[in-house]
Amino acid sequence: MTLLDAIGLRYAWPGTEAAAARAPGQRREALAGASLAVRPGVRLALLGGNGSGKSTLLLHLNGTLRPASGEVRWQGQPIDYSRRGLAALRQAVALVFQDPDDQLFAGTLAQDVSFGPLNLGLDPAEVARRVAAALAAVGLEALGALPPHMLSHGQRKRAAIAGALAMRPAMLVLDEPTAGLDPAGIDILLDHLDALHAQGMTVVFSTHDLLLARHWADEVAVLHQGRVIAHGGAAAVLDDAPVIAAAGLRPRRFADGRRPVSSPSWPGVSRPSTPHRRSADGRDTPGHDELAAPDGAAAAPLRRERPPHG
Amino acid sequence: MLRAIESCANTNRWHRHAGPVTLFCAGLMACVLLAPPLAAGPLIGIAAGLAAVAGAGVPGRLFLGAMLVPLGFLLTSALALCVTLGFDHGVTIGLSAAGAATALRAGLRAAGALAVTLCFACTVPAAAWIALLRRAGTPEALLDLLMLVHRTLFVLDETRASMVRALDNRLGFATKRLMLRSAAQAMALLFLRSLDRAARLERGLAARGYVDRLPVLPPDSAASPLGWTLAAGVPMLLGGVAFGLARAIGA
Ligand SMILES: Nc1ncnc2c1ncn2[C@@H]1O[C@H](COP(=O)(O)OP(=O)(O)OP(=O)(O)O)[C@@H](O)[C@H]1O
Ligand SMILES: [Mg+2]
């Protein structure tokens, strides 16, 4: 039983036909037959290079974009693209955009977060409670009275996420939720998502962070040129070398942790002559070798036990 | 300037007292418009400035700086009022005493009104005055529009600023000729960008369940009975003083 099914989606952004004709490198379709099945309660990471169609696919999941062909099914039923159908779907599937400025509109953060819950028809007292909880969930409780344009990008991103959290959806769709967040912010967000996931919420998110995908997601889907080329358990997909290489997700640099950083020198930039730092066991520091994780020792889990007061 | 005023409005000491502050500013505005301008203009102007700077903690430089540009316009138009043009014997230009008196009155009144407006702009956050308008029964569609325009204004201003910075960083403003070209490019780009922004915001709101309304919770307020009393009393007092002063100087 799946919660949501995207089947053979094709979509071309308006105006891209002309661009594709002129620029040979440009694909005509952002989605060229993408299929994705989302099981209930899963944490699904969507990986793929820039322009592979992640954002476009996510916009289809709550009916914000309508595919040219193919269909999206919610709980087995094709999406009803009428006004009421979409309103109902969006109560269940909340979407956080890649660029927070695409969705922040109100005078203050708290007001912006209140928009979704008020659309659900909740009474103001309950909305106020949800707003406070959602802002706290992203660590913004102190900034609720400020307008979005007085905040940094990462703070806006958090506010946008709070806007979706406040709707308490059955499925949360996040477009690069951790991009632009500081490590502490990622911790706070993941803690909260963990709590929601424990209550049964489904989380679909796109990311370029392979560590996050490996250690936090249950499943990984890989998008390449508008198609899902692999989908399965996180470790299985990420260890599938041909898939990862095809999608351009295997970093050449820093990947095995043993190769020193060497690059052609840029004109006018001289490299410091100090040798690359090595730690006692002969590994480069900082180690990024968790990515490859061939030997168990290096694959430190991303999530560790936090002290009780944390 | 726009952004400085906006951030001041959201952080000044009175930002959670939007109701009383609005009443206060409305009272001052009534004084400026009703009392004789020779007395009321300067008196209310100074009162508004003091209220903003000493009361709400608006930076003095910001307040004066924001006054400067419109005051410049005021001065030039007031000067124009002082001059008479005659067409009886060819074209003659002369100073007119009546014109000067009118100019002085109009100028002082406008300057006072300007200070009051600025006091309001620097102390009441947009979210708060939109909420007040909502409570006063303004049509929802209009308020939604106001909110979007307000937000879009700042998104576009940010886009403009970052675009100019980006061009500047790649030496787009290094010479006069480049400067013209870059400015023209930035303007054309800003136009396209604003269309794109509008489309994106529409998608963003649609994804969050926008149908035809943009409901938001009113911002929380800390208005107290004392605040309301002061907001009503002080302008009345000042109005009385202005009338008394006007009689004393015979205006
Ligand atoms: N608003 C738009 N108008 C026209 N074409 C677009 C638009 N947004 C995306 N595209 C095109 O659609 C394709 C897929 O873009 P999409 O934003 O889905 O990629 P992505 O995987 O999210 O990339 P990134 O990692 O950079 O966020 C790209 O080729 C892009 O050129
Ligand atoms: Mg994207």
Side-chain angles (χ1 to χ4, degrees):
Chain A
M1 176 59 195
T2 52
L3 187 62
L4 182 138
D5 273 302
I7 305 161
L9 302 184
R10 308 187 84 90
Y11 182 83
W13 285 91
T16 44
E17 283 89 349
R22 260 180 277 119
Q26 183 84 352
R27 287 197 322 281
R28 200 185 72 78
E29 289 174 311
L31 292 182
S35 298
L36 187 70
V38 183
R39 292 186 301 111
V42 78
R43 291 170 296 189
L44 171 59
L46 195 57
L47 299 181
N50 291 137
S52 58
K54 299 183 297 297
S55 298
T56 312
L57 177 57
L58 295 184
L59 283 170
H60 280 81
L61 300 188
N62 78 345
T64 304
L65 292 182
R66 189 171 184 168
S69 72
E71 68 176 2
V72 181
R73 293 201 185 135
W74 172 251
Q75 294 181 332
Q77 298 297 316
I79 293 187
D80 165 12
Y81 285 92
S82 72
R83 229 174 205 232
R84 292 176 76 195
L86 287 180
L89 179 66
R90 283 163 189 168
Q91 290 189 17
V93 185
L95 173 61
V96 178
F97 284 64
Q98 185 168 1
D99 181 351
D101 282 332
D102 286 359
Q103 69 179 82
L104 300 179
F105 72 96
T108 70
L109 293 193
Q111 287 196 324
D112 199 277
V113 175
S114 74
F115 173 66
L118 284 172
N119 279 336
L120 297 180
L122 300 171
D123 70 293
E126 168 64 12
V127 172
R129 265 196 300 281
R130 284 202 185 187
V131 169
L135 285 175
V138 293
L140 283 185
E141 54 276 62
L143 303 182
L146 290 182
H149 38 265
M150 282 179 66
L151 302 180
S152 76
H153 178 81
Q155 289 170 327
R156 286 181 212 190
K157 186 90 195 191
R158 294 185 190 200
I161 293 171
L165 292 178
M167 298 186 73
R168 310 249 167 102
M171 176 169 148
L172 186 59
V173 180
L174 305 150
D175 200 350
E176 302 198 15
T178 59
L181 260 61
D182 59 20
I186 294 178
D187 261 357
I188 298 176
L189 176 66
L190 290 184
D191 284 349
H192 192 72
L193 289 181
D194 276 338
L196 293 173
H197 173 249
Q199 292 164 26
M201 189 164 77
T202 308
V203 184
V204 179
F205 64 104
S206 73
T207 184
H208 292 293
D209 185 342
L210 298 182
L211 283 175
L212 181 68
R214 178 177 287 275
H215 298 295
W216 195 71
D218 307 312
E219 293 181 9
V220 166
V222 178
L223 205 59
H224 181 53
Q225 298 195 341
R227 252 187 227 105
V228 177
I229 58 169
H231 181 181
V237 173
L238 289 169
D239 288 337
D240 188 341
V243 165
I244 296 300
L249 295 175
R250 171 102 175 119
R252 188 166 49 80
R253 301 282 194 89
F254 313 121
D256 59 8
R258 282 175 185 78
R259 191 178 352 198
V261 181
S262 63
S263 72
S265 52
W266 294 93
V269 179
S270 62
R271 299 191 136 272
S273 58
T274 46
H276 200 68
R277 264 198 311 142
R278 300 233 158 177
S279 57
D281 59 344
R283 261 205 201 94
D284 291 9
T285 51
H288 287 262
D289 39 4
E290 294 96 310
L291 290 184
D295 45 64
L302 181 66
R303 221 151 36 94
R304 43 193 163 60
E305 287 306 313
R306 289 153 60 83
H309 63 268
Chain B
M1 185 61 75
L2 181 69
R3 298 172 64 82
I5 292 178
E6 166 79 2
S7 68
C8 182
N10 280 288
T11 50
N12 72 85
R13 274 200 284 277
W14 290 350
H15 76 275
R16 292 178 65 212
H17 300 258
V21 176
T22 305
L23 177 67
F24 175 70
C25 290
L28 289 189
M29 192 56 105
C31 291
V32 170
L33 296 180
L34 299 178
L38 287 186
L43 181 71
I44 302 295
I46 290 169
L50 275 181
V53 175
V58 175
R61 286 188 51 186
L62 172 66
F63 194 87
L64 290 179
M67 288 284 288
L68 229 50
V69 177
L71 273 184
F73 282 114
L74 250 181
L75 202 66
T76 41
S77 46
L79 284 179
L81 272 180
C82 298
V83 176
T84 52
L85 272 181
F87 297 99
D88 303 339
H89 321 285
V91 181
T92 56
I93 300 179
L95 283 177
S96 109
T102 314
L104 187 64
R105 254 189 235 112
L108 286 177
R109 178 167 278 165
L114 185 64
V116 175
T117 311
L118 201 58
C119 172
F120 179 78
C122 288
T123 51
V124 182
W129 57 257
I130 290 178
L132 286 176
L133 284 178
R134 175 162 288 136
R135 269 179 45 194
T138 313
E140 293 289 341
L142 196 63
L143 293 175
D144 293 348
L145 197 66
L146 264 178
M147 190 155 60
L148 288 182
V149 167
H150 175 258
R151 171 77 186 127
T152 310
L153 212 59
F154 285 94
V155 170
L156 280 184
D157 185 59
E158 248 167 30
T159 314
R160 178 200 58 78
S162 59
M163 218 149 57
V164 167
R165 271 198 296 274
L167 288 170
D168 191 26
N169 266 301
R170 291 189 288 158
L171 306 183
F173 293 92
T175 67
K176 276 224 178 67
R177 199 177 57 81
L178 282 176
M179 191 147 58
L180 270 179
R181 210 180 63 174
S182 298
Q185 253 164 9
M187 264 188 285
L189 204 60
L190 190 61
F191 175 68
L192 292 178
R193 202 64 77 79
S194 63
L195 293 181
D196 178 52
R197 273 272 154 232
R200 282 164 164 272
L201 190 60
E202 192 191 345
R203 265 204 301 282
L205 290 178
R208 297 176 66 193
Y210 170 72
V211 183
D212 48 13
R213 281 213 44 220
L214 292 171
V216 291
L217 281 185
D220 54 344
S221 154
S224 60
L226 177 67
W228 283 106
T229 317
L230 283 176
V234 172
M236 274 196 241
L237 194 74
L238 285 173
V241 172
F243 273 107
L245 211 64
R247 188 157 315 137
I249 59 176

